[in-house]
Amino acid sequence: MPLRLGDEAPNFTADTTEGKINFHEWLGNGWGILFSHPKDFTPVCTTELGYMAKIANEFKKRNVKILAVSVDPLDAHKGWINDINETQNCTVNYPLIADPDKKVATLYDMIHPNALDNMTVRSVFVIGPDKKIKLTLTYPASCGRNFDELLRVIDSLQLTANYKVATPVNWREGQDCIITPAVNDEEAKQLFPKGFKTIKPYLRYTPQPNK
Ligand code: BEZ
């Protein structure tokens, strides 16, 4: 059964480039992002891990811990990280799970044998402080992910966890939000003192409430 939004993120223990972790304990009370890479010493993955290192501070600002997984052993990871740092001009500053027995990859259904044999696809799981899965994303090995988009989604997830709003197409931090349909106009007046604009009864915009 694949993991779905709202499911509890399965716990595991694993060896990583920064020591052994128990996933739930490692997450603590904050947010987390778990993402898979098909294989060490592969070109697209090298660019992804490098870019992630460069924007890691943006995840930290949002209280999101970063955890990568690849189905190779620890010594391969360590050699590959040297290459990533050298070629991408970065310092990989987050743990990479060594998963040669595919324990984590299997637990999170990251191996899609009809797409790719014996390696993971590019999976992403964003996990909330309640350990529930808030976002899943699956890309083929041939396409590097847009990690800036992950920051955008996390901004939306963290906002909508605290306010009765949703975010419209291509929304970015600071832009107007949509009042969720379950909120009637009377309640909206209380909840959104900056006001709101009604385009249709079901389409109401309000300034981002926490700005
Ligand atoms: C890559 O990261 O470049 C890659 C990995 C597995 C299959 C194809 C490409």
Side-chain angles (χ1 to χ4, degrees):
M1 179 82 156
L3 293 170
R4 294 179 172 169
L5 302 188
D7 290 353
E8 179 163 295
N11 196 21
F12 56 82
T13 54
D15 290 322
T16 82
T17 49
E18 297 184 7
K20 202 178 188 69
I21 63 161
N22 172 298
F23 185 46
H24 282 190
E25 284 173 14
W26 178 84
L27 283 169
N29 296 321
W31 291 70
I33 182 165
L34 173 68
F35 60 112
S36 62
H37 295 276
K39 195 90 191 124
D40 290 9
F41 301 103
T42 52
V44 176
C45 298
T46 299
T47 63
E48 285 191 327
L49 282 161
Y51 190 76
M52 191 54 134
K54 288 181 184 165
I55 62 166
N57 206 36
E58 290 299 320
F59 286 88
K60 192 169 181 191
K61 275 192 220 163
R62 291 161 174 83
N63 193 27
V64 182
K65 285 185 162 181
I66 301 169
L67 185 58
V69 55
S70 174
V71 294
D72 283 308
L74 215 46
D75 55 344
H77 283 2
K78 288 184 175 161
W80 185 33
I81 285 174
N82 288 338
D83 282 5
I84 295 165
N85 291 342
E86 178 197 324
T87 62
Q88 307 304 303
N89 194 24
C90 67
T91 303
V92 171
N93 44 8
Y94 51 85
L96 177 52
I97 296 172
D99 196 31
D101 55 5
K102 304 185 178 65
K103 188 175 86 179
V104 176
T106 304
L107 194 60
Y108 277 78
D109 194 31
M110 291 165 165
I111 297 177
H112 299 195
N114 293 328
L116 200 59
D117 203 19
N118 231 7
M119 302 179 199
T120 67
V121 290
R122 298 187 195 280
S123 301
V124 180
F125 295 87
V126 174
I127 294 139
D130 57 1
K131 310 285 183 299
K132 299 273 169 60
I133 294 171
K134 307 297 182 187
L135 170 115
T136 66
L137 189 136
T138 308
Y139 272 38
S142 54
C143 182
R145 290 155 286 196
N146 183 333
F147 286 178
D148 296 328
E149 165 65 0
L150 296 178
L151 290 171
R152 192 191 74 86
V153 179
I154 286 165
D155 286 340
S156 173
L157 290 170
Q158 295 186 336
L159 176 71
T160 60
N162 291 311
Y163 297 90
K164 290 183 177 177
V165 293
T167 56
V169 60
N170 292 347
W171 174 87
R172 300 200 77 85
E173 179 79 4
Q175 294 179 346
D176 287 355
C177 303
I178 285 172
I179 299 173
T180 51
V183 175
N184 64 33
D185 281 354
E186 276 315 301
E187 197 187 350
K189 283 179 199 157
Q190 306 298 318
L191 290 176
F192 306 108
K194 292 177 197 154
F196 59 92
K197 192 164 61 184
T198 303
I199 311 297
K200 292 278 181 190
Y202 58 84
L203 180 58
R204 297 165 296 169
Y205 286 95
T206 189
Q208 184 172 331
N210 61 348
K211 284 281 163 189

